[in-house]
């Protein structure tokens, strides 16, 4: 919508003034014709236009329907292409290139078919528009000759000049009509999107994050609401403040859904979810934050399962608009094991990482995203499996220094992870979900240990990270903020522009790309024929009028 629909509306807005000009010119031209040939002759010509109007209107409506269908197909193709690009690695691993190619080609062929049909409708509209002034001229002058018995040259040539001017006005109508129809379709699409109901507030204020007999599920369309969809049901949880809580369970058990419920991004099917309310951005006064008032107990930071990285420097990704506190910044880099990585970069923390951190490895993206949350003012940090892309010794360092270190003191941390054995040592509260989405265990770690449920949470596959020693992890104390000796390099350079005369090879390239010399010779011939027909039309109108006069 932003790339296509807004552009179509902008094109119409830039041409909308032509509508007023066309109406004004048409009224003046019709008034002159009225005075020159009389109302009877003019009405005879307008009668021909009235006969052709329903045909032109039907063609315009048909074109509008085709444009709407074309927009929907383009949305489908864009969505499918984006999905393929995001999952290109999995597609390659699964050797499913042919399947996805066939899917994309089918959608593209459907788009080309509708596009060809809409272009034909556009040609029909143009033909109808070009034929309209001819009918108007012929019927008007024929009627004038019949009524007055003759057609004087002074009347004929003056009327023909006015009809040619009217033809130019009418010739612009199809293009404006296409612009109006396309803008109307785009406006309706944007209007429908903006009028969709806002997501209702589905959490309630509370002192702690808690679930009271709550059932939650990811939102879905109304038509799919009755379908059998995955949901977590009858949750009764109370996550303690200023402590670490661990959520575990097999893949697909609903760990991310539970975190999304805390963020208010789910549909609450029943019960209540209580979450502390954060202050509004105006009341936070981030620009005045200092070490004494840095942590906001009710503010929430979220580290998603897919790291989100800005197209900016590493430093700006961590600060994320907050004031630069050198002491806290150094501590965050140390805690997230980023100092070794920064020492490898020529420009240190001034290195640009590109869109979605394209120049970083998977583990570096995770640690950079976590560093942003640790540096933030949030008193509540929600983390979705931050150890999945980290090596054993790096994960242990991050756990001990970032998740459980000095920077995490006094903050509520909720962590969904498969590495339960690593995290239970410092956790106060543990939640275990089963594969079918039901709550298996929940309670304080001491309570679960007393009930003998703690051993079932520590799966053997997850104990590897505990028994591996912290090998070779050296974090230089002063390498993080080493100022680069030269200005940092730009990952994305400004586009270079040639100066001087345009080379003939450029024009030759355009000619070849648009059909080559045979196509342009044919097009030039057709254009010359079109102009010749226009020049000879006045002569044949005169002959026709004299014959009937």
């Amino acid at each position: 919508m932003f790339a296509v629909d807004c552009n179509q509306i902008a094109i119409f807005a830039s041409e909308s003034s032509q509508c007023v000009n066309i109406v004004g010119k048409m009224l003046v031209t019709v008034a002159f014709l009225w005075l020159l040939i009389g109302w009877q002759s003019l009405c005879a010509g307008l009668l021909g236009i009235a006969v052709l109007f329903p045909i032109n209107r039907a063609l315009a409506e048909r074109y509008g329907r085709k444009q709407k269908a074309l927009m929907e197909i383009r949305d489908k193709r864009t969505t499918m292409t984006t999905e393929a690009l995001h999952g290109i690695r999995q597609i390659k691993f699964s050797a499913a290139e042919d399947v996805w190619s066939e899917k994309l080609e089918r959608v593209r062929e459907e788009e080309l078919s509708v596009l060809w049909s809409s272009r034909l409708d556009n040609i029909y509209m143009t033909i109808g528009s070009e034929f309209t002034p001819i009918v108007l001229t012929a019927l008007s002058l024929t009627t004038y000759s019949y009524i007055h018995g003759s057609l004087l040259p002074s009347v004929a040539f003056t009327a023909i000049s006015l009809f040619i001017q009217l033809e130019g006005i009418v010739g612009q109508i199809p293009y404006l009509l296409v612009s109006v129809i396309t803008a109307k379709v785009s406006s309706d699409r944007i209007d429908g999107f903006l009028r969709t109901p806002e997501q209702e507030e589905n959490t309630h204020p509370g002192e702690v994050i808690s679930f009271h007999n709550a059932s939650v599920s990811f939102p879905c369309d109304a038509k799919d609401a009755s379908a059998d969809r995955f949901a977590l049901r009858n949750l009764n949880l109370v996550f303690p403040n200023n402590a670490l809580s661990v959520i575990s369970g097999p893949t697909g058990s609903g760990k991310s859904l539970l975190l999304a419920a805390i963020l208010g991004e789910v549909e609450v099917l029943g019960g209540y979810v209580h979450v502390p309310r954060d202050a509004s951005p105006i009341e936070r006064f981030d620009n005045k934050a200092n070490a004494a008032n840095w942590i906001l107990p009710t503010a929430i930071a979220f580290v998603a399962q897919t790291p989100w990285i800005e197209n900016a420097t590493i430093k700006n990704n961590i600060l994320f608009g907050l004031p630069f506190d050198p002491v806290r910044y150094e501590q965050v880099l140390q805690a997230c094991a980023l100092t070794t990585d920064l020492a490898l970069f020529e420009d240190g923390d001034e290195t640009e990482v590109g869109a979605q951190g394209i120049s970083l490895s998977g583990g570096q993206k995770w640690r950079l995203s976590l560093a942003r949350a640790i540096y933030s003012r949030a008193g509540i940090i929600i983390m979705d499996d931050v150890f999945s892309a980290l090596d054993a010794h790096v994960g242990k360092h991050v756990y001990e220094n970032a998740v459980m270190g000095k920077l995490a003191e006094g903050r509520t941390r909720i962590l969904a992870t498969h590495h339960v054995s690593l995290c239970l040592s410092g956790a106060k509260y543990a939640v275990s979900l089963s594969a079918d989405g039901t709550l298996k265990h929940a309670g304080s770690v001491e309570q679960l240990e007393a009930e003998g449920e703690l051993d079932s949470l520590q799966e053997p596959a997850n104990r590897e990270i505990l028994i591996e020693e912290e090998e070779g992890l050296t974090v230089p104390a002063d390498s993080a903020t080493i100022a680069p000796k030269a200005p940092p390099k730009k990952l994305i350079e400004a586009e270079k522009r040639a100066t001087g005369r345009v080379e003939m090879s450029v024009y030759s390239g355009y000619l070849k790309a648009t059909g080559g010399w045979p196509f342009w010779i044919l097009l030039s011939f057709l254009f010359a024929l079109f102009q010749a027909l226009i020049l000879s039309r006045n002569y044949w109108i005169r002959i026709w009028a004299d014959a009937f006069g």
Side-chain angles (χ1 to χ4, degrees):
M1 290 182 181
F2 184 80
V4 178
D5 294 313
C6 290
N7 185 49
Q8 297 294 341
I9 296 173
I11 292 174
F12 168 73
S14 65
E15 298 177 350
S16 59
S17 60
Q18 295 295 324
C19 298
V20 180
N21 296 337
I22 286 176
V23 172
K25 290 179 180 179
M26 184 174 291
L27 291 176
V28 173
T29 304
V30 170
F32 280 150
L33 287 172
W34 184 298
L35 297 175
L36 182 64
I37 62 178
W39 65 271
Q40 301 95 332
S41 302
L42 184 61
C43 287
L46 295 177
L47 179 62
I49 295 179
V51 172
L52 294 175
F53 177 76
I55 300 176
N56 292 333
R57 180 179 178 181
L59 291 174
E61 292 178 349
R62 182 178 176 181
Y63 178 80
R65 291 193 298 269
K66 293 292 178 58
Q67 281 296 309
K68 185 175 181 179
L70 185 61
M71 290 291 188
E72 293 176 353
I73 295 174
R74 283 174 174 169
D75 286 345
K76 180 180 178 181
R77 175 177 58 82
T78 302
T79 302
M80 189 176 297
T81 304
T82 304
E83 183 180 356
L85 291 176
H86 286 172
I88 189 67
R89 179 178 298 178
Q90 185 62 35
I91 293 173
K92 296 289 287 184
F93 286 161
S94 304
E97 297 94 331
D98 294 339
V99 176
W100 278 90
S101 296
E102 291 177 2
K103 291 173 63 176
L104 290 171
E105 287 175 0
R106 282 198 300 269
V107 176
R108 179 58 177 166
E109 289 297 330
E110 184 181 1
E111 180 186 1
L112 291 176
S113 176
V114 177
L115 181 62
W116 174 255
S117 179
S118 67
R119 287 293 179 262
L120 290 178
D121 290 340
N122 192 1
I123 293 174
Y124 299 150
M125 290 172 58
T126 304
I127 293 174
S129 175
E130 294 289 344
F131 193 66
T132 298
I134 297 175
V135 173
L136 174 62
T137 303
L139 290 178
S140 297
L141 293 182
T142 302
T143 304
Y144 182 88
S145 300
Y146 178 79
I147 293 175
H148 296 87
S150 64
L151 182 61
L152 298 176
S154 59
V155 175
F157 287 107
T158 305
I160 289 174
S161 298
L162 291 173
F163 282 127
I164 290 176
Q165 182 176 347
L166 186 62
E167 178 184 350
I169 296 172
V170 174
Q172 297 179 21
I173 292 179
Y175 301 100
L176 285 177
L177 191 60
V178 169
S179 178
V180 170
I181 293 174
T182 306
K184 178 65 168 57
V185 172
S186 296
S187 298
D188 291 342
R189 282 160 47 85
I190 295 177
D191 182 70
F193 172 74
L194 295 178
R195 290 182 182 276
T196 52
E198 295 290 343
Q199 183 173 340
E200 298 181 358
E201 190 71 40
N202 52 19
T203 61
H204 302 274
E207 296 297 326
V208 296
I209 298 175
S210 58
F211 291 73
H212 302 278
N213 200 30
S215 298
V216 296
S217 177
F218 282 116
C220 64
D221 296 334
K223 59 183 179 181
D224 298 330
S226 59
D228 185 16
R229 51 177 174 157
F230 183 84
L232 295 175
R233 301 186 182 279
N234 304 322
L235 299 176
N236 289 284
L237 309 171
V238 180
F239 294 96
N241 288 332
N242 307 326
L244 173 64
S245 301
V246 176
I247 301 173
S248 62
T251 302
S253 59
K255 298 185 295 296
S256 297
L257 174 59
L258 185 57
L259 298 184
I262 299 174
L263 301 174
E265 298 293 334
V266 300
E267 182 179 349
V268 179
L269 306 177
Y272 301 94
V273 180
H274 292 273
V275 178
R277 284 291 182 268
D278 187 16
S280 65
I282 300 177
E283 300 172 347
R284 290 169 60 106
F285 300 106
D286 286 338
N287 59 332
K288 298 181 180 179
N290 53 56
N293 63 359
W294 189 272
I295 299 299
L296 300 174
T298 58
I300 297 178
F302 176 54
V303 183
Q305 198 169 37
T306 301
W308 185 86
I309 308 296
E310 266 195 323
N311 184 12
T313 64
I314 293 176
K315 181 177 180 180
N316 289 336
N317 266 285
I318 295 175
L319 299 183
F320 205 58
L322 291 176
F324 176 65
D325 184 340
V327 175
R328 185 177 186 82
Y329 183 73
E330 289 281 354
Q331 292 174 345
V332 169
L333 294 179
Q334 292 280 343
C336 295
L338 286 170
T339 52
T340 304
D341 300 276
L342 295 183
L344 300 176
F345 294 139
E346 183 178 352
D347 296 320
D349 59 1
E350 293 295 334
T351 302
E352 289 191 8
V353 296
Q356 293 301 321
I358 191 173
S359 61
L360 301 177
S361 67
Q364 289 170 339
K365 292 179 185 180
W366 276 106
R367 285 179 283 136
L368 181 56
S369 183
L370 178 62
R372 181 194 300 126
I374 298 297
Y375 187 85
S376 72
R377 305 183 67 192
I380 302 173
I381 301 179
I382 312 295
M383 297 168 284
D384 195 352
D385 202 7
V386 295
F387 301 111
S388 61
L390 303 183
D391 295 334
H393 58 284
V394 178
K396 187 174 182 181
H397 174 88
V398 170
Y399 170 74
E400 293 175 350
N401 295 274
V403 179
M404 296 299 299
K406 180 179 178 181
L407 293 171
E409 293 179 358
R411 306 172 91 168
T412 302
R413 291 140 289 156
I414 301 177
L415 170 65
T417 183
H418 290 286
H419 300 86
V420 183
S421 298
L422 171 66
C423 304
L424 277 180
S425 59
K428 297 295 183 183
Y429 193 81
V431 176
S432 178
L433 301 174
S434 59
D436 58 356
T438 58
L439 186 62
K440 190 175 180 181
H441 306 294
S444 65
V445 174
E446 292 82 0
Q447 178 185 353
L448 294 177
E449 186 176 9
E451 296 175 355
E453 303 289 351
L454 199 60
D455 291 337
S456 63
L457 300 180
Q458 300 183 9
E459 300 176 3
N462 293 332
R463 294 179 182 174
E464 294 180 359
I465 197 168
L466 270 180
I467 61 177
E468 289 199 28
E469 296 295 333
E470 189 175 355
E471 302 173 356
L473 182 62
T474 58
V475 183
D478 56 353
S479 63
T481 57
I482 296 177
K485 298 178 180 180
K489 297 180 178 62
K490 293 290 185 181
L491 182 65
I492 301 177
E493 298 289 344
E495 183 179 356
K496 296 180 180 180
R497 301 181 62 180
T499 58
R501 182 178 64 85
V502 178
E503 299 292 338
M504 288 301 299
S505 59
V506 176
Y507 295 111
S508 177
Y510 274 113
L511 289 176
K512 291 180 180 179
T514 54
W517 288 106
F519 170 78
W520 282 101
I521 292 173
L522 176 62
L523 189 64
S524 301
F525 171 75
L526 294 176
F527 180 75
L529 179 62
F530 174 72
Q531 294 297 328
L533 292 175
I534 291 178
L535 293 175
S536 62
R537 185 183 60 183
N538 296 339
Y539 173 78
W540 289 107
I541 291 176
R542 173 66 179 176
I543 296 298
W544 191 21
D546 289 342
F548 283 95

